[in-house]
Every structure is written in structure tokens, then in C-alpha cells.
Amino acid sequence: MIVSGSASQGLAAALAAELGEELARVEYESFPDGERVVRVPPVEGRAVVVASTVDDSAHVELLQLQDAVREAGAEEVITVIPYMGYARQDEAFEPGEPVSARAMARAISTGTDEVYTVNVHEPAVCEFFDVPATNVDATPHLADPLPEDLHDPVFLAPDASALPLAESVRDAYGPGDADFFEKTRHSGTDVEITPSETEVAGRDVVVVDDIVATGSTMSEAIGLLDDPRRVFVACVHPLLAANARTKLAKAGVDDVVATDTIERVVSAVSAAPAVADALGRE
Ligand code: R5P
């Protein structure tokens, strides 16, 4: 049975269809004091809990769902975290800070037999779980909605760590160069980016990253492009906080393509086939 968190209902439904498994009808309610509760139907055998931890409430809800499916009879609990919040704090960057990704992973591990993430910010985060954890790659599917007639395309990553993502989208698309910018982050919203050496004048550019959060990284990077023909943004996780979508528009982006690990208007690509493959289709 596929059991969805409230923020992942579209992806959970798509995954149920991919796997041919029943989709649970889950109820989500809040008490007057703001505390939340979920209710799941009886479960036989395996429960696959699918919940992006997009905010603190979603983290709590995931722990509740894991507990609820065991109470409801699940013999095995698989947890799919399409977007794992707090994964970017994968080390204590300043004295006194937590390794938030590890704290979240430990908590999630207590209620599950196995974990699947989708393009988690750093694959090494999977090692923080106390149960087997697998990182699923959905980036090849980001090539699907791109126009078939990209002109002399170049796939750019906003920093070196995202280059494999850009290369993956390029490989799935077909022709094109791949390169990266150098990025220095000064704060949550202030990033400094140095251009890549690849010539982009007159070419179609696809800038690829794992997450677009505030949009600062993307808009800074796009602002450095010298006379591109068209600019597309491709990301796995369209967090698109605050005015991020406006920033992208004002930076001159022609289109944004993203997956449904976070369910937004731009989530044209489903991560469900990649997750279904990893879970093992019948
Ligand atoms: C950071 O290393 C990530 O890969 C993304 O580049 C970052 O999370 C994007 O954040 P923002 O949109 O706030 O610049």
C-alpha cells in the first residue's frame, strides 16, 4: 500500500499507478492547538510511506505516518523521501550548529526498514540513516519536457557539485556541452558566481541544479550569461520560496522544468518512474 504525506499526494498517486499498488486514503487533521494527526486505513504486508519533508510540519507528519502504518498492521515500512528537508545542513558549518541532516535521518530511521531519497542534496547524507538508504536519480527525466529543437545547447551547473546533474540531463537530452560556474555562498540569499568559460552567445542554455530555493543562485548565474538565445532552468526540487519564481522571470528565464518531489506549477516531470524502478516493479 502506498501511503502519502500531505505534501506528496500527486507523486504518491503516480507511484501507486507505476507499481500497481493500492493508494491509501489518508486523513490529515489539525487540533485547535496546532498539533496534527493522521489516520490511515488497515495495512497488510508492506507500506510505502511517500513524504517530502518540505517544512517542519511535514517532518512531524512523516514520523506520525510511519508510526500509524505499523499500528495499522504493516509488516514492513519503506520510506520514500522525494525531497529531504534539512539535507543541505550536512555538516556543522559554524561552531555550535547541528548536523541537521543527521538529526533528521536518525529520527526517520526509527520508524522504517528502508529509506529512498531522490537526488538528496549530497548522496553521503544517505549514510546518516541507521537503516539501508538509497538515493534515486530523477535527473534524466528532466530532459523530457525540454524543446526538441534546442539550438547548440549548453547545460550549465551553478557550481561544481551540480555538474554531474547537468551532465545527466545533457546525456538524456542528446547533443550539447556541459560546464559549471564557480559559486561562493555568503549567506542564505547572497551568492557570488563566477562565469564558466563556455561561450553561450546565440546558444540555448539549460541551467541545472538540484534545488531552486530562493532563486538567488539561478538568477545570479543566468545574469552572467553573455547573450544566450534562450534560457531554461531545470531542477529536481522546485522549492521556489518567497519570490524565487519572479526572480527567475526577471532574470530572463524562458521556462522552468522540475519534478514533482515538491508539487508546484512547474512540476511537469514525475519522479515516480525512477522511484518505482528503484523499489523494483513487479
Ligand atoms: C546548494 O548547494 C544547492 O545545490 C542549490 O544551489 C541551492 O540550494 C539553491 O538555493 P537558492 O535558490 O536559495 O540560491
Side-chain angles (χ1 to χ4, degrees):
M1 180 176 279
I2 308 298
V3 179
S4 176
S6 55
S8 299
Q9 295 179 53
L11 175 50
L15 184 62
E18 290 281 340
L19 292 172
E21 289 190 25
E22 186 183 350
L23 178 65
R25 181 179 169 137
V26 183
E27 292 175 17
Y28 317 96
E29 286 181 18
S30 296
F31 293 107
D33 61 1
E35 290 187 354
R36 299 157 63 89
V37 69
V38 295
R39 285 184 204 92
V40 303
V43 182
E44 283 177 20
R46 176 176 90 161
V48 180
V49 177
V50 183
S52 284
T53 49
V54 289
D55 54 28
D56 291 356
S57 291
H59 274 278
V60 173
E61 188 184 86
L62 170 56
L63 301 182
Q64 291 178 314
L65 285 168
Q66 291 174 323
D67 202 73
V69 294
R70 289 256 193 233
E71 282 291 310
E75 289 159 15
E76 184 188 18
V77 179
I78 306 288
T79 300
V80 178
I81 314 169
Y83 168 73
M84 181 180 168
Y86 287 99
R88 286 178 287 177
Q89 182 81 14
D90 57 351
E91 57 183 280
F93 294 104
E94 301 282 346
E97 289 186 352
V99 181
S100 303
R102 183 179 60 200
M104 298 302 153
R106 283 177 176 164
I108 292 165
S109 297
T110 60
T112 193
D113 298 295
E114 204 175 347
V115 168
Y116 290 81
T117 56
V118 179
N119 292 103
V120 70
H121 179 58
E122 286 293 339
V125 165
C126 285
E127 294 165 21
F128 289 143
F129 291 94
D130 298 321
V131 294
T134 303
N135 189 36
V136 177
D137 182 17
T139 53
H141 297 278
L142 287 171
D144 297 346
L146 291 172
E148 288 177 9
D149 64 346
L150 289 182
H151 177 70
D152 195 11
V154 54
F155 296 79
L156 291 176
D159 58 32
S161 67
L163 180 61
L165 308 182
E167 289 174 330
S168 172
V169 179
R170 188 271 316 272
D171 291 348
Y173 183 77
D177 295 328
D179 202 351
F180 62 96
F181 298 84
E182 294 288 349
K183 177 169 95 173
T184 309
R185 180 174 286 282
H186 298 297
S187 73
T189 53
D190 183 16
V191 291
E192 184 183 331
I193 296 189
T194 313
S196 72
E197 290 177 0
T198 302
E199 194 63 53
V200 300
R203 305 175 72 179
D204 283 332
V205 177
V206 184
V207 191
V208 184
D209 206 353
D210 59 339
I211 304 168
V212 177
T214 66
S216 300
T217 300
M218 277 290 175
S219 50
E220 287 279 329
I222 290 161
L224 292 171
L225 298 174
D226 185 15
D227 200 22
R229 181 169 176 263
R230 290 181 293 181
V231 178
F232 300 88
V233 164
C235 72
V236 180
H237 310 297
L239 205 47
L240 297 176
N243 60 351
R245 186 66 187 85
T246 303
K247 278 188 196 168
L248 298 182
K250 287 188 75 69
V253 170
D254 290 89
D255 201 4
V256 179
V257 299
T259 82
D260 55 359
T261 60
I262 301 175
E263 298 183 359
R264 300 279 191 257
V265 171
V266 298
S267 302
V269 178
S270 183
V275 174
D277 286 343
L279 285 173
R281 297 169 190 268
E282 289 297 310

